């Protein structure tokens, strides 16, 4: 019987998921310095961005949009409230629902963080032409959209 090398597809460049994971690790490491300097984690930043884009969003909606469980979101929101970056209010329509809002501190911090992240990403992707960056973005966005439809 022929022995199959389980990792040959990775070495031969056939595993795009593996390559994307390596890229994500590089991005995470590069951006983690920016987040650490500002006293937040990358996941906290994603939550803040979600609240910024959807003012008065519920914690359940944040969990759904970011594909995180409700327990994780609850802990992250508690940390962000402790850091005075969000405030929580009970919905007047449903007392079981918490609506999440950004604080003034968050409104001040987010644009600064976004600018730093943009600079870092521009540096990381400088090897690509504008056309290649646009193509990469479109393809990744297409895959993410397709996956979102399944889950």
């Amino acid at each position: 019987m022929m022995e199959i090398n389980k990792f040959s597809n990775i070495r031969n460049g056939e595993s795009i998921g593996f390559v994307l994971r390596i890229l994500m690790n590089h991005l995470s490491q590069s951006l983690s310095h920016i987040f650490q300097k500002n006293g937040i984690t990358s996941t906290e930043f994603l939550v803040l961005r979600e609240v910024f884009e959807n003012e008065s969003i519920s914690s359940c909606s944040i969990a759904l949009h970011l594909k995180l469980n409700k327990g994780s979101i609850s802990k992250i929101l508690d940390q962000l409230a402790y850091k005075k970056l969000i405030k929580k209010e009970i919905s007047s329509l449903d007392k079981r629902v918490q609506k999440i809002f950004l604080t003034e501190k968050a409104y001040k911090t987010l644009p600064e963080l976004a600018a730093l992240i943009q600079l870092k990403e521009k540096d990381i992707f400088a090897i690509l032409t504008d056309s290649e960056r646009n193509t990469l973005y479109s393809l990744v966005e297409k895959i993410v959209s397709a996956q979102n439809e399944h889950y």
Side-chain angles (χ1 to χ4, degrees), residues 27-49 83 85 109-110 112-114 116-118 120-121:
L27 285 169
S28 287
Q29 288 173 357
S30 295
L31 296 177
S32 71
H33 300 294
I34 293 171
F35 296 129
Q36 285 175 352
K37 286 181 184 176
N38 287 276
I40 65 170
T41 67
S42 58
T43 307
E44 289 172 342
F45 175 77
L46 291 176
V47 170
L48 289 171
R49 197 189 85 213
K83 295 173 183 180
L85 292 167
T109 303
L110 280 175
E112 295 168 2
L113 275 172
L116 292 170
I117 291 166
Q118 262 186 328
K120 184 52 96 174
E121 285 183 353

Side-chain angles (χ1 to χ4, degrees), residues 71-145:
S72 295
I73 288 297
S74 179
K75 289 177 185 175
I76 293 166
L77 292 174
D78 287 345
Q79 282 298 309
L80 291 171
Y82 176 77
K83 295 173 183 180
K84 302 197 182 322
L85 292 167
I86 63 156
K87 57 185 174 184
K88 304 176 195 178
E89 294 180 8
I90 302 297
S91 170
S92 58
L93 301 175
D94 186 343
K95 302 294 182 205
R96 298 170 296 173
V97 175
Q98 283 187 335
K99 296 293 185 173
I100 311 301
F101 298 88
L102 295 179
T103 63
E104 289 301 317
K105 181 180 178 182
Y107 278 113
K108 182 178 180 260
T109 303
L110 280 175
E112 295 168 2
L113 275 172
L116 292 170
I117 291 166
Q118 262 186 328
L119 285 173
K120 184 52 96 174
E121 285 183 353
K122 189 175 183 178
D123 182 50
I124 290 169
F125 293 106
I127 192 169
L128 302 176
T129 65
D130 287 344
S131 176
E132 289 170 330
R133 274 192 299 279
N134 291 336
T135 300
L136 176 63
Y137 183 84
S138 295
L139 293 172
V140 171
E141 191 175 59
K142 183 177 182 178
I143 294 167
V144 169
S145 293

Side-chain angles (χ1 to χ4, degrees), residues 46-58 61-62 65-66 99-102 107:
L46 291 176
V47 170
L48 289 171
R49 197 189 85 213
E50 192 67 30
V51 176
F52 179 80
E53 292 176 0
N54 303 285
E55 187 69 32
S56 82
I57 190 170
S58 70
S61 292
I62 294 170
H65 291 174
L66 296 180
K99 296 293 185 173
I100 311 301
F101 298 88
L102 295 179
Y107 278 113

